Amino acid sequence: MCEFISDSKLFVDPTYRYSYLLKFIKFGKEDLKLVKDFGQMVLNPLIPSLVEEIQKKMTSYDVTRELVLLGHVKQASSTVVLDSSDEHDIATSVTNQDGSNSNPHNEFIFKKEIQILYLKKLFMIGETMVNISSSSKDQIDPSVLNYIKELDEFCQLHFECQQMPVVHLSAYFGLLSDLIMEEVFESQMAEALKKKTWISINKLFWIQNDSFTKSHVDDAFRHLTSGACCPVTGAFGSSCMASNGVNK
């Protein structure tokens, strides 16, 4: 029997959206445990070096180098002064409208500290898995759903996904996926466990790809009639839940 999925509700209800993704991809409690175990046993001490590798790669292209080193300076009339004497650590200062100076390092979308926090959260390093029993075998485990929603909130808050061109988000995730896969298969885990672990991490990365890129999708074009609003919530706009005014 074909299960009904509300096409429009997928774009305005985050719980419904992630329940659908988790069920379709079959990412459950066992997958989350494999992700967490890998994070605790293998990945945790490697995170700083992984982030350094990502920074090195992204600064090897001018367009992503600018995003890494400067971020988005939000003041329209701000001017950025570069000291180009150091290729790896550009010293910058920003002159704001009021004449004050601010450090655009606070604007970094791919700031090292944020990436480290993100990877620790992604692999539940230092966190405890909460056991919440489902009322039915067919239902998504509530603890897994809460984990995915918390990750989404973190991404939307710290990575400013709407301001980042989607091509760079794809490049970032492709690189991150490649680096993590290498660590999985070079680890001392048994071969069967390596395979299961990577399958679970790969599922998670595709769900994360949705979190990062959904703010670039204009669902108004697909679901709204001329001069109308979304039939489910009355909202205009995209899959970005915050911009639609829908609580997560």
Side-chain angles (χ1 to χ4, degrees):
M1 184 176 67
C2 184
E3 181 177 350
F4 172 76
I5 298 295
S6 171
D7 189 38
S8 58
K9 194 174 180 181
L10 284 172
F11 301 100
V12 294
D13 185 339
T15 299
Y16 190 84
R17 182 189 189 98
Y18 290 124
S19 295
Y20 163 73
L21 280 174
L22 290 168
K23 191 171 184 179
F24 193 100
I25 299 175
K26 295 183 179 179
F27 185 90
K29 197 66 171 284
E30 182 181 353
D31 294 290
L32 186 54
K33 186 178 186 306
L34 287 168
V35 169
K36 179 175 172 56
D37 288 347
F38 173 75
Q40 292 287 149
M41 295 186 297
V42 179
L43 191 65
N44 191 23
L46 303 175
I47 286 178
S49 61
L50 284 178
V51 171
E52 287 292 338
E53 188 69 24
I54 291 171
Q55 297 289 101
K56 181 179 178 181
K57 181 70 174 182
M58 296 192 75
T59 54
S60 67
Y61 293 86
D62 59 349
V63 64
T64 47
R65 180 174 183 269
E66 181 179 351
L67 294 170
V68 170
L69 297 176
L70 295 181
H72 289 277
V73 181
K74 297 177 181 178
Q75 293 84 359
S77 63
S78 296
T79 58
V80 180
V81 181
L82 301 181
D83 176 2
S84 58
S85 61
D86 190 340
E87 283 294 312
H88 301 289
D89 186 17
I90 293 181
T92 63
S93 63
V94 176
T95 303
N96 299 320
Q97 289 177 327
D98 60 2
S100 63
N101 290 329
S102 62
N103 189 340
H105 284 247
N106 294 328
E107 306 289 347
F108 284 9
I109 289 184
F110 289 113
K111 193 175 180 180
K112 289 181 182 180
E113 296 92 318
I114 298 299
Q115 288 190 64
I116 290 172
L117 284 175
Y118 170 65
L119 289 175
K120 286 181 177 291
K121 192 167 188 65
L122 185 67
F123 287 90
M124 295 192 72
I125 295 171
E127 298 185 23
T128 303
M129 288 184 65
V130 180
N131 290 316
I132 307 175
S133 59
S134 301
S135 58
S136 169
K137 290 183 179 180
D138 295 329
Q139 288 186 344
I140 300 299
D141 190 296
S143 59
V144 177
L145 182 59
N146 288 340
Y147 159 75
I148 295 298
K149 289 172 67 177
E150 287 178 5
L151 276 177
D152 177 63
E153 291 171 0
F154 183 93
C155 293
Q156 299 302 323
L157 177 64
H158 292 291
F159 282 89
E160 301 182 18
C161 298
Q162 280 188 302
Q163 298 183 35
M164 174 64 65
V166 69
V167 63
H168 303 319
L169 292 172
S170 298
Y172 173 78
F173 252 97
L175 176 59
L176 179 60
S177 175
D178 190 45
L179 292 172
I180 296 295
M181 181 173 63
E182 186 175 349
E183 297 301 337
V184 170
F185 287 100
E186 287 187 355
S187 71
Q188 299 301 311
M189 295 187 297
E191 291 301 318
L193 183 57
K194 288 180 182 180
K195 180 180 178 181
K196 290 176 64 177
T197 298
W198 175 244
I199 289 173
S200 296
I201 293 173
N202 190 51
K203 291 178 185 179
L204 178 59
F205 277 156
W206 278 107
I207 296 170
Q208 282 295 276
N209 181 67
D210 179 71
S211 289
F212 272 70
T213 59
K214 70 176 185 290
S215 57
H216 292 270
V217 179
D218 186 4
D219 299 314
F221 183 79
R222 295 183 65 235
H223 294 291
L224 310 185
T225 57
S226 177
C229 57
C230 176
V232 178
T233 66
F236 291 90
S238 72
S239 290
C240 181
M241 307 308 172
S243 67
N244 277 343
V246 178
N247 293 328
K248 296 181 181 181

